[in-house]
């Protein structure tokens, strides 16, 4: 009984993950992007907790707590603090043609369901549907990085990709070994700290957080 | 065992200590000392592996065999010579106000942290930990690339960070997929990511999943190797970072990424029993070679030009590993070694040349031989070596590679030859006017330490003339290890 109940819960959470990924892609206020990102972290921790309970895997409880603290609280808080200190919390980021972006997102989702077909057929784990959704979330995160112009939203896209990888690890494999998970979490934390450092450097050097301004300086440096 | 722990602890301890050291000259000396200690430990470790054939440490968490042991020594060696080169180079940058004392501390500390990531990546037996250490080495170098805090260097570091972060995330997804199929064979624990166990059970892994996994790993680690078309970060990161960093990026970090890719390819070959992985690597390799050869001609910045030459050579190695025969793998391993030696030597020389002329723009660098014969000849010899002139080792490995390609895929030789010729023409067209001609007015005398450069070139020359027996047997053994899973396929 618990098997099918856990499966339903995880499938529900997977659907929510996909919803959040679409929401992230469609938001243009920086603060709401951060809110959705925090929600994604909480969903991730919930998934890990449920899978841990369903499979009676104690290591996974540890990673669930780690995820909640790191991805549900610490990373969104670090980003929020950076946004506040840089006074960009009111800024609105114009989206590149949102209809086209949404259609692309749709195509990407269909594509990921297509490529994981051979994988899904062989999976005997309780959470086999989530592989396709994890792949879709990963590609949507990448799409977010491509369509956004601001450094902060690009970073959120990057971290969303990281989140969906973690989701794939729990959903499809019931979690990677703890050593690897701690290592990955450690790397993500360092990466986030470096990102934070970069925001201020970019701001002081370029007077904005637009990525285009940076690319321009590289071109000028080469031509000078 | 003690030696092994010492090899890893030395950069860790050095990095932590250097993070607190304010006195820059003392810090540079400690940096050299750490480099030398690491190298000596790794050399002794290699002797032990030479005697025992292979070596497992700390309950199978670390595994040293013929394939990685020479890469460990190479990493420690180039790391050591880079610390020797960087002492006067970074002192010059400090005196000219391009860095301050606080950033020198960051530089020294991050350099050793990078070395730690590299050594951990080469020694670990767990493909998850391999990913973590590659990411660690990447993060350390991101901070190093942005060291000068100029607009261009920050932009380059950001690009490097985002593109490689993205690439490496794809590689993690590939690793997750491998774990997904291996956990049903090896159980749900660390064993399912342990490389030696995975190789033993490779044939039991699901071929469909492994194929999808390899696509992600190829693009992911391929970004880090600098393969076209994912190479956009590489020239910027090399061009804008401090020269010692360009040297280790080109000479070492790209090797680790390729090493990781080849380790994964061995698993995929075993699982799928097809040449798909090899063909993908050959394709990416050839495209990189051609793209880099043509891009070389358009460069204005000397460090950017040589970074395209790195893409070219990484492409060649990827191609060779893709062919996957004994001879091709042997050629690739030899090429990895000589490329690391020669390219880091070239970057040392280029660093001194840029300091002497006060610019990295090739149009303003002239008359190097007249201004400072050591730098001028160093650049000329280095370029000849990297372009593949005999008797340097690059010629030997490229010759072997051509022989291997002729055996299996003769038509590719046309592409390879074309790429190599165009690249050679590009390099010499740019280097000739820089070494000959009149000395421009802005040239200043610099304190130069050419010893590391000459040691590197001498070693490359030695490898071209005669490869030491133990090294050749290592290459042979490593090549045999690499092909052992796919050999039946190649014959059939």
């Amino acid at each position: 009984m618990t098997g099918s109940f856990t499966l339903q819960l995880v499938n529900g959470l997977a659907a929510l993950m996909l919803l959040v990924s679409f929401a992230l892609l469609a938001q243009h206020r920086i603060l709401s992007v951060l809110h959705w990102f925090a929600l994604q972290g909480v969903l991730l921790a919930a998934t890990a907790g449920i899978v841990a309970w369903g499979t009676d895997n104690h290591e996974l409880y540890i990673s669930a707590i780690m995820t909640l603290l790191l991805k549900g609280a610490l990373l969104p808080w670090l980003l929020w603090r950076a946004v506040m200190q840089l006074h960009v919390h009111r800024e609105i980021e114009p989206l590149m043609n949102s209809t086209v972006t949404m259609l692309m997102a749709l195509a990407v989702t269909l594509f990921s369901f297509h490529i994981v077909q051979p994988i899904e057929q062989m999976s005997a784990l309780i959470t086999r549907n989530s592989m396709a959704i994890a792949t879709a979330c990963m590609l949507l995160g990448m799409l977010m990085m491509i369509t956004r112009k601001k450094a902060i939203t690009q970073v959120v896209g990057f971290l969303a990709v990281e989140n969906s990888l973690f989701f794939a690890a729990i959903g499809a494999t019931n979690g990677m070994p703890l050593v690897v998970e701690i290592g990955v979490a450690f790397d993500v934390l360092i990466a986030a700290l470096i990102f934070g450092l970069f925001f201020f450097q970019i701001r002081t050097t370029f007077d904005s957080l637009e990525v285009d301004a940076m690319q321009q300086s590289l071109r000028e440096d080469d031509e000078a | 065992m003690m030696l092994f722990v010492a090899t890893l602890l030395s950069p860790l301890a050095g990095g932590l200590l250097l993070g607190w050291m304010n006195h820059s000259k003392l810090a540079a000396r400690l940096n050299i000392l750490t480099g030398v200690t690491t190298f000596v430990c790794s050399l002794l470790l290699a002797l032990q592996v030479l005697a025992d054939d292979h070596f497992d440490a700390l309950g199978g968490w670390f595994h040293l065999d013929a394939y990685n042991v020479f890469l460990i020594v190479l990493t420690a060696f180039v790391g050591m010579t880079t610390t020797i080169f960087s002492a006067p180079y970074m002192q010059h940058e400090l005196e000219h106000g391009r860095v301050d004392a606080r950033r020198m501390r960051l530089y020294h500390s991050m350099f050793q942290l990078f070395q730690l990531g590299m050594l951990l990546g080469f020694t670990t037996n767990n493909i998850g930990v391999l990913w973590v250490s590659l990411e660690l080495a990447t993060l350390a170098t991101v901070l190093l690339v942005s060291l000068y805090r100029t607009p261009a260097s920050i932009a380059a570091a950001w690009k490097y960070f985002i593109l490689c972060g993205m690439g490496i995330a794809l590689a993690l997804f590939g690793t997750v997929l491998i774990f997904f199929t291996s956990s049903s064979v090896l159980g749900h624990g660390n064993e399912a990511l342990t490389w030696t166990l995975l190789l033993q059970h490779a044939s039991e892994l699901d071929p469909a999943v492994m194929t999808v996994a390899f696509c992600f790993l190829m693009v992911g680690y391929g970004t880090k190797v600098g393969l076209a078309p994912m190479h956009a970060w590489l020239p910027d990161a090399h061009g804008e970072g401090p020269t010692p960093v360009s040297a280790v990026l080109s000479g070492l970090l790209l090797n680790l990424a390729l090493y990781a890719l080849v380790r994964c390819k061995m698993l995929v070959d075993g699982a799928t029993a097809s040449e798909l992985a090899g063909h993908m690597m050959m394709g990416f390799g050839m495209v990189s070679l051609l793209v880099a050869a043509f891009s070389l001609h358009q460069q204005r910045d000397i460090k950017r030009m040589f970074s395209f030459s790195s893409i070219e050579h990484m492409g060649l190695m990827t191609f060779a590993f893709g062919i996957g025969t004994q001879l091709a793998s042997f050629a690739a391993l030899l090429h990895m070694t000589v490329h690391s030696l020669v390219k880091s030597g070239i970057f040392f020389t280029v660093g001194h040349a840029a300091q002497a002329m006060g610019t990295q723009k090739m149009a303003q660098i002239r008359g190097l031989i007249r201004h400072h014969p050591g730098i001028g000849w160093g650049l000329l010899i280095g370029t000849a070596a990297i372009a593949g002139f005999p008797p340097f080792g690059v010629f030997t490995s490229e010759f072997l590679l051509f022989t291997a390609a002729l055996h299996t895929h003769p038509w590719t030789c046309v592409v390879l030859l074309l790429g190599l010729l165009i690249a050679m023409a590009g390099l010499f067209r740019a280097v000739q006017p820089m070494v000959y001609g009149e000395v421009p007015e802005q040239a200043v005398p610099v304190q130069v330490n050419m010893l590391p450069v000459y040691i590197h070139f001498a070693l490359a020359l030695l490898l071209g003339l005669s490869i030491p027996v133990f090294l050749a047997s290592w290459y042979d053994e490593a090549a045999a290890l690499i092909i052992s899973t796919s050999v039946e396929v190649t014959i059939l």
Side-chain angles (χ1 to χ4, degrees):
Chain A
M1 187 218 91
T2 40
S4 73
F5 180 58
T6 327
L7 182 61
Q8 282 170 12
L9 273 181
V10 172
N11 277 343
L13 283 168
L16 284 177
M17 275 291 285
L18 192 62
L19 181 79
V20 172
S21 295
F22 269 94
L24 274 174
L25 205 58
Q27 290 303 320
H28 50 82
R29 282 184 50 234
I30 287 186
L31 276 185
S32 25
V33 167
L34 290 187
H35 291 153
W36 283 105
F37 173 67
L39 181 63
Q40 198 181 36
V42 174
L43 280 177
L44 210 55
T47 318
I50 287 167
V51 174
W53 176 68
T55 57
D56 209 23
N57 180 344
H58 294 289
E59 278 193 355
L60 212 49
Y61 279 119
I62 302 176
S63 46
I65 294 166
M66 225 160 59
T67 312
L68 187 65
L69 292 179
L70 184 70
K71 291 174 172 164
L74 186 61
L75 290 185
W77 179 74
L78 280 174
L79 284 170
W80 178 82
R81 212 185 54 157
V83 165
M84 284 304 176
Q85 284 175 354
L86 291 164
H87 299 291
V88 290
H89 55 286
R90 287 182 196 286
E91 275 185 36
I92 287 173
E93 185 180 15
L95 294 175
M96 276 164 62
N97 199 339
S98 56
T99 325
V100 177
T101 311
M102 280 298 130
L103 282 176
M104 273 166 75
L106 219 63
V108 157
T109 313
L110 285 176
F111 173 71
S112 20
F113 272 88
H114 175 71
I115 57 165
V116 297
Q117 252 176 357
I119 300 174
E120 292 210 338
Q121 277 163 6
M122 60 153 286
S123 173
L125 292 163
I126 58 160
T127 49
R128 57 174 170 250
N129 266 330
S130 38
M131 199 63 174
I133 291 188
T135 317
C137 291
M138 184 177 78
L139 294 175
L140 289 177
M142 290 187 177
L143 192 61
M144 183 170 171
M145 292 181 70
I146 300 169
T147 52
R148 296 305 179 114
K149 296 271 172 222
K150 283 211 193 311
I152 292 189
T153 32
Q154 274 197 347
V155 169
V156 174
F158 175 82
L159 293 171
V161 171
E162 205 78 57
N163 278 353
S164 41
L165 287 176
F166 187 70
F167 187 76
I170 325 166
T173 68
N174 295 345
M176 302 272 273
L178 194 62
V179 182
V180 176
E181 239 156 54
I182 291 177
V184 173
F186 176 69
D187 278 346
V188 170
L189 184 64
I190 298 190
L193 292 177
I194 298 180
F195 274 134
L197 222 113
F198 263 109
F199 290 148
F200 291 95
Q201 285 176 13
I202 293 170
R203 178 58 173 260
T204 43
T205 322
F206 297 99
D207 211 32
S208 86
L209 284 170
E210 303 281 334
V211 179
D212 285 346
M214 286 197 272
Q215 291 305 312
Q216 190 61 37
S217 83
L218 266 182
R219 271 197 296 278
E220 276 163 14
D221 186 70
D222 192 34
E223 279 157 18
Chain B
M1 178 63 87
M2 284 305 293
L3 272 173
F4 173 74
V5 176
T7 313
L8 285 185
L9 269 186
S10 142
L12 179 65
L16 290 177
L17 254 172
L18 286 164
W20 298 105
M21 194 165 273
N22 272 320
H23 193 287
S24 70
K25 277 193 176 158
L26 210 62
R29 275 190 209 129
L30 183 62
N31 199 22
I32 295 176
L33 185 69
T34 316
V36 172
T37 320
T38 316
F39 175 62
V40 170
C41 290
S42 73
L43 206 61
L44 294 173
L45 192 65
L47 288 177
Q48 203 174 334
V49 177
L50 189 66
D52 301 351
D53 188 42
H54 72 92
F55 178 81
D56 287 296
L58 303 177
W61 272 97
F62 296 93
H63 174 77
L64 278 79
D65 55 23
Y67 178 28
N68 60 11
V69 72
F70 81 91
L71 285 169
I72 293 165
V73 177
L74 183 68
T75 302
F77 175 73
V78 175
M80 174 184 76
T81 48
T82 308
T83 56
I84 297 173
F85 157 73
S86 92
Y89 182 86
M90 291 313 283
Q91 194 59 34
H92 181 276
E93 302 291 88
L94 185 68
E95 279 157 13
H96 286 69
R98 292 192 75 183
V99 285
D100 55 23
R102 210 167 57 92
R103 277 189 237 144
M104 280 292 275
R105 234 167 55 193
L106 178 78
Y107 165 80
H108 283 129
S109 177
M110 284 300 131
F111 186 85
Q112 290 301 335
L113 201 65
F114 162 78
Q115 277 294 91
L116 175 70
M118 292 292 301
L119 291 170
L120 199 62
F122 277 127
T123 49
T124 183
N125 193 16
N126 182 309
I127 53 173
V129 177
L130 173 57
W131 183 89
V132 171
S133 17
L134 187 56
E135 174 86 352
L136 183 72
T138 308
L139 291 176
T141 43
V142 164
L143 287 176
L144 289 173
V145 168
S146 69
L147 194 74
Y148 291 147
R149 301 283 197 276
T150 58
S153 74
I154 290 178
W158 182 261
K159 200 170 170 184
Y160 174 39
F161 199 6
I162 291 286
L163 277 176
C164 282
M166 204 73 276
I168 214 158
L170 289 175
L172 181 60
F173 191 64
T175 312
V176 170
L177 285 173
I178 292 183
F179 183 68
F180 171 70
T181 160
S182 67
S183 59
S184 58
V185 179
L186 289 161
H188 196 85
N190 285 314
E191 293 78 22
L193 281 177
T194 303
W195 185 84
T196 37
L197 289 174
L198 282 172
L199 191 68
Q200 279 169 23
H201 297 271
S203 56
E204 297 162 44
L205 304 176
D206 184 75
V209 179
M210 289 302 275
T211 310
V212 179
F214 189 74
C215 293
F216 282 102
L217 289 164
M218 178 78 227
V219 176
Y221 286 135
T223 310
K224 205 82 245 296
V225 179
L227 296 178
M230 297 90 74
H231 67 284
W233 63 273
L234 195 141
D236 288 329
H238 283 65
E240 302 302 336
T243 307
V245 177
S246 318
V248 289
L249 273 180
S250 250
L252 302 180
L253 189 59
L254 306 184
N255 280 356
L256 179 58
L258 187 57
Y259 163 86
L261 185 63
V262 173
R263 285 261 183 211
C264 294
K265 175 187 180 270
M266 291 153 83
L267 300 178
V268 175
D269 279 344
T272 58
S274 78
E275 286 193 87
L276 177 93
H279 284 160
M280 272 172 77
M281 287 178 75
M282 284 168 69
F284 272 107
M286 269 192 290
V287 171
S288 309
L289 173 67
L290 287 180
V291 168
F294 282 109
S295 310
L296 255 172
H297 286 259
Q298 300 163 358
Q299 301 309 313
R300 299 183 189 88
D301 184 305
I302 183 165
K303 275 160 81 178
R304 267 172 216 263
M305 184 186 72
F306 280 111
S307 69
F308 272 105
S309 153
S310 293
I311 299 177
E312 173 210 340
H313 287 280
M314 291 323 279
L316 271 182
M317 285 174 226
T318 312
F319 177 82
F321 279 123
I323 295 179
T325 57
Q326 172 94 19
L327 185 62
S329 305
F330 187 101
L333 295 167
L334 177 63
H335 200 74
M336 218 178 207
T337 317
V338 284
H339 173 255
S340 289
L341 289 172
V342 175
K343 189 51 68 63
S344 43
I346 288 181
F347 271 113
F348 297 163
T349 321
V350 165
H352 285 313
Q355 278 185 342
M357 298 289 159
T359 176
Q360 284 178 207
K361 302 287 161 226
M362 288 193 281
Q364 291 162 37
I365 302 177
R366 289 289 178 267
L368 277 174
I369 287 187
R370 261 191 215 164
H371 181 61
H372 195 300
I375 301 176
W377 283 111
L379 190 61
L380 201 61
I381 295 170
T383 312
I386 206 72
F389 276 85
F392 288 100
V394 180
F395 171 77
T396 319
S397 57
E398 282 174 1
F399 184 78
L400 290 175
L401 170 59
F402 269 95
T403 318
L406 271 175
H407 281 309
T408 51
H409 307 82
W411 61 274
T412 55
C413 287
V414 183
V415 183
L416 294 184
L417 205 59
L418 195 70
L420 285 176
L421 279 176
I422 295 171
M424 185 194 78
L427 284 174
F428 272 95
R429 199 184 66 167
V431 167
Q432 292 274 30
M434 284 194 283
V435 290
Y436 299 117
E438 292 300 318
V439 183
E441 285 165 12
Q442 86 271 15
V444 286
V446 281
Q447 196 203 340
V448 167
N449 185 0
M450 291 300 283
L451 186 68
V453 179
Y454 290 138
I455 295 176
H456 280 208
F457 292 166
L459 283 174
L461 187 65
L462 181 73
L463 286 174
L465 294 172
S466 79
I467 306 171
V469 178
F470 70 95
L471 196 60
S473 70
W474 264 346
Y475 288 154
D476 256 333
E477 225 177 286
L481 193 69
I482 292 170
I483 62 161
S484 62
T485 46
S486 59
V487 66
E488 303 94 283
V489 187
T490 326
I491 293 166
L492 280 174

